[in-house]
Amino acid sequence: MARNFRRLNNVPMEKRPLMLRIQIILLMIVVCFQDGNLDAQRIDRSKKGSSAIHQFQLNGFTEMQSADSVRVVARLDVPSTALQFLKSENGFSAAFEATISLVNNDGIQVGKKSWQKNIHVNNYIETTSREMVQYLTTEFTVGKGSYTVIGNVLDNDTRKAGVKKESIELIKLGEPVFLLYPVLLEEKEGEWGFGKNEFPISGSRLDVGKNTLTILFSGKVNPGTFKIKSAISETKKVDDWTYSVDHMSDSGIFSERIIVPRDEFSSIKMFIAGEITQGKKSASQRKPIMMKRPGISRTITNVDEAMEQMRYILESDERKLLKDANRHEREQLFLSFWADRDPTPETSKNELMDEYYMRVAYAKQNFESFQPGWKTDMGMIYIMFGPPDEVERYDQPSKGYARRTWHYYRINRSFVFVDDTGFGDFRLTTPFMRQY
């Protein structure tokens, strides 16, 4: 297996399969076209589609506060790349509005926090840096129930907005033995809702460069002794608990921090498992995590899904290799396939992968109908060719009919989509690619 997929990396561009060469060239044309149109007074990212604003992240973390209440720490991470910067006299400026709200299962708002932010940077490089992030944090106290954290970000210049949601499930809080979802903590100077310099992270993009990772397990038990166990596993099933110790709680709640060496995270995707037992009662949680690896786009949070989303550019021999591979081999194949498509292999960044999954994210947000947006015909064309140069619209609401024509002048192609259901299910009038 390894010998088979490594050979793909050693094939020169001119000897790669024709369809693969065409796909790489088309994607690179669009990337170069978009990157080559920078106005002197305005950093215009609109040609990449309105997906830029959706680059912000919403995170919700929990910790026991009392036997019947939980602290919900919510944070918005807004990178510079999500915003529209304007050229100013002494650099570049951007402004945005943001809110974090918490609603219960009945849709009633429990709490809300709003911000208005103005950002000024000295040079253009800072406007494109993913390391330049605005962190907006608030917290709520809630009891038993089901909740949704909602994050909204509005760019004041483009007036484009993004919304993200995260569920907080506390329906079992009333049980005598209860364990919250584990919280991953990294060291970062500041106050972030936990201990001093403890920065909570989602687990979707963990940096393998750090030496250790702190895992916070928090929950409730009856006053007395209990056992807590944890493990890092490549599968949801845990065969060997690497950490197991007896504890005592006088108050009935606990927050236990466990330090794990980073060398235990051997695969791209792994699971953190925790379990507490007291007498015959127990509670457990599993948290999937994804390690940050050189050459993997920041927008990828699920490798299995990302592999499926490659369907539009995979060759038949690559599909066969994936079909016959086990889980670990599939991860290696994923890395190999994208290394094969890297336009600048001498650098650590794969521009083509970044662009591809930015388009996937935009398609998921904007083209969903009866299936995920990236699987629709519009999603497929957008992922392959990027935003169209011009869109023609024709609607007959009384007949439930709509037509959209996307024109790509730079490649001399047009695509016609028709919705004859009245539900926004646009289909290509002429099939573009083989069926999947």
Side-chain angles (χ1 to χ4, degrees), residues 405-409 411-416 428:
T405 304
W406 289 7
H407 297 287
Y408 291 88
Y409 299 127
I411 57 173
N412 196 29
R413 290 292 301 268
S414 294
F415 301 94
V416 181
L428 277 170

Side-chain angles (χ1 to χ4, degrees), residues 1-59:
M1 172 66 70
R3 183 172 61 254
N4 288 337
F5 70 74
R6 276 199 295 267
R7 67 179 175 79
L8 295 171
N9 286 338
N10 300 321
V11 181
M13 171 69 82
E14 64 274 11
K15 292 186 179 180
R16 294 174 185 174
L18 177 60
M19 187 174 182
L20 177 58
R21 298 205 307 270
I22 292 173
Q23 292 164 352
I24 293 175
I25 292 169
L26 286 176
L27 278 165
M28 290 179 67
I29 287 174
V30 178
V31 172
C32 293
F33 178 87
Q34 291 167 350
D35 290 344
N37 287 274
L38 178 65
D39 188 280
Q41 299 300 317
R42 183 184 185 89
I43 301 172
D44 187 0
R45 296 191 182 96
S46 62
K47 288 185 172 60
K48 289 187 177 180
S50 60
S51 60
I53 193 64
H54 296 286
Q55 293 179 36
F56 75 89
Q57 297 295 320
L58 173 67
N59 300 288

Side-chain angles (χ1 to χ4, degrees), residues 330-378:
R330 284 172 62 85
E331 286 187 358
Q332 297 305 311
L333 283 168
F334 177 77
L335 296 173
S336 176
F337 292 163
W338 275 112
D340 187 43
R341 291 164 168 82
D342 190 349
T344 56
E346 69 278 3
T347 68
S348 61
K349 183 178 180 181
N350 189 328
E351 296 83 358
L352 202 60
M353 176 190 275
D354 287 346
E355 179 68 21
Y356 188 86
Y357 285 106
M358 282 280 288
R359 295 180 188 179
V360 168
Y362 181 82
K364 289 168 68 176
Q365 288 277 348
N366 292 275
F367 304 129
E368 182 176 0
S369 58
F370 297 109
Q371 57 184 331
W374 69 269
K375 289 185 177 181
T376 65
D377 286 356
M378 277 188 167

Side-chain angles (χ1 to χ4, degrees), residues 221-249:
V221 292
N222 292 312
T225 60
F226 68 98
K227 183 182 290 292
I228 182 169
K229 299 186 290 185
S230 70
I232 308 296
S233 174
E234 291 190 12
T235 64
K236 290 184 178 181
K237 182 180 178 181
V238 178
D239 296 319
D240 182 30
W241 295 96
T242 55
Y243 176 92
S244 179
V245 66
D246 291 327
H247 280 268
M248 167 68 74
S249 175

Side-chain angles (χ1 to χ4, degrees), residues 273-291:
E275 183 179 273
I276 55 173
T277 55
Q278 187 176 52
K280 295 182 178 181
K281 298 184 181 299
S282 66
S284 62
Q285 290 282 9
R286 303 288 187 275
K287 181 181 181 70
I289 58 174
M290 181 174 169
M291 305 306 296

